Amino acid sequence: MRRNIFRWLQVVVVLTVLGMLLPLAGTMQGRSFERKNPVQPSSVTQQTVWPESATSTSVPILRNTVSVYLPLVFRDFPGSGQSEEWSQHAHNAQRTGYTPQTVPYPWRWRWSWNGPNASGGIAKVTANGSLPRNVQPVTGGGRVYIAAGVDGVFALSEANGQQIWQRNRIGDIRSTVAYDRDTAAVFVVSANGTLYKLRAQDGSILAQFNTGQRSDLPLPPAVLSDRVIFAMGNSVYAVNKQTMQQIWRYNTDVTVATPPSYSLSRNVVVVATEPDLYVHAINNANGTRKWRVRPVHSSRTFTDPTEFRYGWPVIADGVGYVLVKVRLEWGTLWRDWPQTNSGMRQFLTQNPGEQALFVLDLDDGSKPFIANVGHGGYGDGDYMPMGPQPVVKRLANGREVVYTIIRAKHAYDPRWDSHFGEMMLDSETVPGLQGGDVRFIAYDHPPGSTNPYIITDEQPNVSMAGDYLFGAHWEAGFAMRILDRSATRGSFNNKITTQRLATIVMSQDNARTCSFSLSHYCPGGLENTRFYDFGFYIYYKQGNVYDRYWREYATWTVSNDNVYFVSADGAVVALTSGNPQASAVSYARPVAVSQSLPDTRPVVTISHTAARAWDGRMVFVTGTLRYVFNNGKQVFLGFSNPHQGSFKVLIRKVDWEHFGGRPEVHYQVGQEVRVSGVITWYQGDPVIIATTPAQIEVLDRLPMQELQRLGGDRR
């Protein structure tokens, strides 16, 4: 009897404590480890707490407090009103790039869109055949929503990829859209400066909010429980998602270069601006400034270039930090990176201009530590772009870690020094490591290599689902499952172990190893321009499709039952659990492609500005050289500077011997030239591949005054 009474007393005490603590659960969740400053509850965001599922994450214990470890989880992501599906850019308003949803391996091909036809050929849907840079597919209501530039927005069936609706004539949609379950609406930011609210069921326009500004940058909206936050021009806006009326506007007086990210724990919105290179924290309650800091070194300027554009702030709410990546110039590629954390930290301390990833305190913008992450990306020809954004994962114990690409020299030259990595955000997650320290993740690439690597000027975009880690390259999509990340692992010589999963490549071009199959699966011998072993291919015997429809790299996302891969040419592929050699559910209808005999001699003389219209034809192209550069792999003769976006001549290393070993010494900025050859494609730009000097005729040279104005010899 006494034992029963004692048990009942225990139950009463526990229930009493829970009754006192549950109203504070939201505040406890919002506080970071080892932080002293309390979190002010949001005046506009409500939190819904649900019982924990068997696989969910627990609320972290706060140090130096009397705490009860409550098994609670926010099944509906707090502050966003969204489920765990990938409903907005980088999964949530915090832009973590991580989802706990997983699709069990192995995977099979489910459907594709804007990619292959039923025989592995090319069957494009969009007007230019591709999709805008950074666009990710998002889901909601059984549909997949895709921003498609001048084509507007497409909604596809989540089950079979068939088009349900298309909404066009709303401007150029260059930003990932956001699905909101509360309003059953899709929120769309157009380059014309308007936020559109579309009915998710049929794409009809329900309402719109016009800012009177415009921007061609990718600026995806962030959906919260009661509002939509988005950037346009020099301002950040909060708009009521029900009424589409403005709640507040924050003016920066310069260009807002990133989409907004939202911190639930601080109830602040974070953006970055150019050309001043500041990061801003905005009070979400009223739109006032909380803090503004310039994290980059004083020697860095926008014209270097040092840029925030094409990236986004990533919130680590558990520790109270925001991570911001910057783009640095091509020269940062050629640095010898140490293999130890102490060596990396010393290098970045002595060379602060090399710091590429910044960790900022959400309370005041201060830097708690240096992130041991170097710059890289998918660069070429004196061009180094933004590179991958960090991913923040909350572990089962409530702590947070970062997944990204890190550097350490070990093979050839610095271009071969990148690796998948894990970065610490505190000094307690892994004993002996502190915030900013990194751990190396083993990934068998190239397959079977005794000295694996990722090429630093080809760093893939990173995303994550559960323990599945993804890398999206310009030719392939990498996937792995993390197996052992115990505390003894992570050094360069004892990496975190993984299982390499199926790769997906642009085109299977080795017909000897795999004949075409409706499963799009090759159990061995997967090969595009490089060898990848086993996995899926999008096209069959189509070569470097990405160069014709270039969108600046690929991306992986995971939502509900599908793993989505958006390739560098804008094809969308859905994989799901199952036998990889099973046939696909759905294909785009085949598109007839007319065949014509190749030209045997130039058919016309054109200006370099007209080259796009002569795809596949042999022509003479005339113009003035504005750019001459040797990147170690090929020589670029550009007709504009920078050369991106316009016609150029490429001389590949294999052909340099025909030019006397160094082709660039024969050509100078300011020369008038006439080039002959077939117009083909390289990273979305029209090019002629010159294999002999006879293809490049120097006609004349500009006057010295004009040559000096153009910047002289760029060799």
Side-chain angles (χ1 to χ4, degrees):
M1 182 70 176
R2 289 180 179 178
R3 182 178 299 176
N4 291 336
I5 293 175
F6 180 73
R7 286 178 177 174
W8 277 107
L9 287 173
Q10 284 182 312
V11 171
V12 170
V13 170
V14 170
L15 290 176
T16 302
V17 172
L18 288 174
M20 297 170 61
L21 291 177
L22 278 173
L24 302 175
T27 304
M28 291 177 66
Q29 176 71 10
R31 295 182 65 180
S32 61
F33 302 138
E34 304 182 79
R35 311 283 292 204
K36 296 180 180 180
N37 35 338
V39 179
Q40 299 300 321
S42 167
S43 62
V44 296
T45 303
Q46 296 181 348
Q47 303 175 11
T48 304
V49 180
W50 297 84
E52 183 185 32
S53 65
T55 59
S56 58
T57 302
S58 300
V59 177
I61 297 175
L62 300 178
R63 300 188 63 191
N64 302 323
T65 61
V66 179
S67 305
V68 175
Y69 198 71
L70 298 175
L72 300 175
V73 68
F74 296 102
R75 266 193 193 156
D76 292 339
F77 205 93
S80 66
Q82 305 298 301
S83 67
E84 289 291 4
E85 65 182 314
W86 203 288
S87 60
Q88 52 188 311
H89 190 79
H91 179 250
N92 49 33
Q94 290 70 38
R95 316 292 192 194
T96 60
Y98 170 82
T99 176
Q101 285 191 342
T102 60
V103 178
Y105 189 80
W107 303 316
R108 65 172 177 86
W109 185 282
R110 192 174 193 184
W111 55 259
S112 63
W113 177 85
N114 197 43
N117 58 29
S119 59
I122 300 173
K124 292 297 185 179
V125 177
T126 61
N128 66 358
S130 192
L131 294 173
R133 179 176 176 176
N134 283 8
V135 163
Q136 300 174 353
V138 301
T139 66
R143 292 171 289 270
V144 183
Y145 309 95
I146 300 172
V150 295
D151 294 306
V153 180
F154 288 90
L156 313 177
S157 166
E158 200 171 28
N160 59 30
Q162 295 300 306
Q163 181 177 318
I164 297 174
W165 53 257
Q166 177 189 3
R167 168 53 57 192
N168 51 19
R169 298 183 180 179
I170 54 174
D172 192 354
I173 311 305
R174 308 185 64 81
S175 305
T176 303
V177 301
Y179 171 80
D180 177 51
R181 186 185 57 188
D182 298 340
T183 58
V186 177
F187 290 94
V188 181
V189 172
S190 174
N192 66 18
T194 302
L195 173 69
Y196 293 94
K197 180 180 180 180
L198 308 182
R199 181 182 288 115
Q201 184 177 11
D202 58 16
S204 59
I205 300 175
L206 298 174
Q208 60 190 63
F209 177 87
N210 189 358
T211 66
Q213 304 191 69
R214 64 165 289 108
S215 176
D216 290 328
L217 294 173
L219 299 169
V223 176
L224 309 186
S225 63
D226 66 336
R227 65 190 63 187
V228 179
I229 312 290
F230 74 104
M232 183 58 56
N234 62 12
S235 300
V236 182
Y237 299 86
V239 175
N240 185 294
K241 69 182 186 182
Q242 299 287 347
T243 66
M244 293 292 282
Q245 297 298 307
Q246 180 175 304
I247 299 173
W248 53 255
R249 173 183 176 181
Y250 177 82
N251 183 28
T252 67
D253 294 325
V254 288
T255 299
V256 181
T258 70
S261 300
Y262 174 68
S263 165
L264 171 71
S265 67
R266 270 58 177 177
N267 194 29
V268 299
V269 175
V270 181
V271 296
T273 56
E274 296 172 348
D276 60 354
L277 303 180
Y278 275 88
V279 176
H280 303 244
I282 308 164
N283 291 304
N284 185 39
N286 54 23
T288 59
R289 179 184 296 170
K290 182 178 178 68
W291 51 259
R292 186 187 74 152
V293 299
R294 191 180 191 274
V296 299
H297 190 256
S298 58
S299 64
R300 287 284 175 193
T301 66
F302 181 66
T303 57
D304 294 332
T306 300
E307 298 173 347
F308 291 122
R309 60 185 58 201
Y310 300 111
W312 51 88
V314 178
I315 305 295
D317 255 333
V319 288
Y321 297 142
V322 57
L323 291 81
V324 183
K325 174 75 167 57
V326 294
R327 174 202 171 195
L328 302 178
E329 84 283 356
W330 168 262
T332 58
L333 171 66
W334 305 98
R335 306 292 187 263
D336 289 340
W337 270 79
Q339 296 181 358
T340 65
N341 278 298
S342 59
M344 294 178 195
R345 187 173 296 105
Q346 181 180 13
F347 171 75
L348 290 172
T349 300
Q350 295 174 348
N351 301 276
E354 299 284 331
Q355 296 178 26
L357 178 65
F358 297 94
V359 180
L360 306 178
D361 192 306
L362 281 167
D363 291 323
D364 56 18
S366 60
K367 301 178 195 176
F369 48 78
I370 293 175
N372 288 344
V373 176
H375 187 49
Y378 37 92
D380 211 349
D382 199 26
Y383 168 70
M384 183 66 71
M386 168 56 76
Q389 300 301 288
V391 168
V392 171
K393 175 182 178 178
R394 180 163 293 187
L395 303 173
N397 62 7
R399 299 197 179 277
E400 292 172 318
V401 292
V402 173
Y403 289 91
T404 188
I405 305 297
I406 61 178
R407 296 180 63 178
K409 184 179 179 182
H410 72 295
Y412 311 114
D413 61 44
R415 287 175 295 183
W416 278 265
D417 72 357
S418 288
H419 313 264
F420 286 96
E422 178 184 278
M423 189 183 83
M424 301 297 103
L425 290 173
D426 58 46
S427 59
E428 297 185 355
T429 299
V430 176
L433 298 183
Q434 58 184 293
D437 283 351
V438 296
R439 301 205 293 166
F440 293 90
I441 298 174
Y443 181 63
D444 182 23
H445 180 78
S449 172
T450 58
N451 200 11
Y453 58 83
I454 295 172
I455 298 176
T456 300
D457 59 353
E458 297 181 10
Q459 286 186 354
N461 291 325
V462 180
S463 56
M464 199 169 188
D467 288 330
Y468 294 97
L469 180 60
F470 300 96
H473 179 260
W474 50 261
E475 184 172 274
F478 309 127
M480 72 199 79
R481 179 192 285 127
I482 293 178
L483 299 178
D484 181 5
R485 57 170 302 278
S486 57
T488 59
R489 291 195 173 273
S491 68
F492 187 84
N493 295 315
N494 188 28
K495 298 179 176 67
I496 293 171
T497 61
T498 65
Q499 174 192 5
R500 181 160 58 89
L501 308 179
T503 299
I504 183 168
V505 302
M506 184 71 67
S507 176
Q508 170 61 3
D509 292 334
N510 188 344
R512 298 186 304 274
T513 58
C514 280
S515 58
F516 177 74
S517 167
L518 292 177
S519 69
H520 285 250
Y521 184 77
C522 186
L526 191 66
E527 185 176 354
N528 197 174
T529 67
R530 301 172 185 178
F531 177 70
Y532 297 98
D533 197 5
F534 69 95
F536 299 92
Y537 51 87
I538 300 174
Y539 306 99
Y540 192 75
K541 296 178 67 175
Q542 298 298 315
N544 53 339
V545 181
Y546 42 81
D547 277 333
R548 173 65 179 85
Y549 302 103
W550 185 255
R551 68 178 291 262
E552 294 272 0
Y553 257 50
T555 185
W556 290 93
T557 61
V558 176
S559 194
N560 297 331
D561 296 327
N562 289 342
V563 177
Y564 296 100
F565 181 73
V566 183
S567 62
D569 75 310
V572 180
V573 173
L575 306 176
T576 194
S577 291
N579 178 4
Q581 301 193 57
S583 297
V585 173
S586 178
Y587 285 87
R589 289 179 295 178
V591 175
V593 179
S594 60
Q595 300 292 329
S596 59
L597 294 176
D599 300 320
T600 58
R601 58 185 179 182
V603 296
V604 69
T605 299
I606 63 172
S607 166
H608 64 92
T609 58
R612 288 183 181 273
W614 292 87
D615 177 25
R617 304 301 304 274
M618 183 179 289
V619 296
F620 288 115
V621 180
T622 61
T624 303
L625 294 181
R626 308 296 199 209
Y627 182 86
V628 178
F629 186 79
N630 184 334
N631 73 350
K633 295 181 290 186
Q634 52 195 356
V635 171
F636 291 73
L637 304 182
F639 290 71
S640 66
N641 187 6
H643 65 82
Q644 288 79 20
S646 63
F647 172 79
K648 59 185 68 69
V649 178
L650 299 183
I651 309 173
R652 293 171 174 166
K653 191 170 186 178
V654 67
D655 297 312
W656 289 359
E657 61 180 346
H658 304 147
F659 293 80
R662 292 185 59 201
E664 70 274 17
V665 302
H666 303 296
Y667 309 104
Q668 297 182 6
V669 170
Q671 287 177 330
E672 288 283 345
V673 298
R674 183 174 71 169
V675 184
S676 62
V678 176
I679 299 292
T680 183
W681 298 91
Y682 176 77
Q683 296 188 355
D685 295 338
V687 300
I688 285 178
I689 308 297
T691 59
T692 69
Q695 291 180 255
I696 308 171
E697 181 183 0
V698 178
L699 302 177
D700 199 0
R701 186 178 180 89
L702 293 180
M704 181 58 66
Q705 183 178 2
E706 178 68 4
L707 178 62
Q708 292 174 346
R709 187 185 69 81
L710 293 172
D713 190 343
R714 283 297 306 274
R715 290 176 295 171

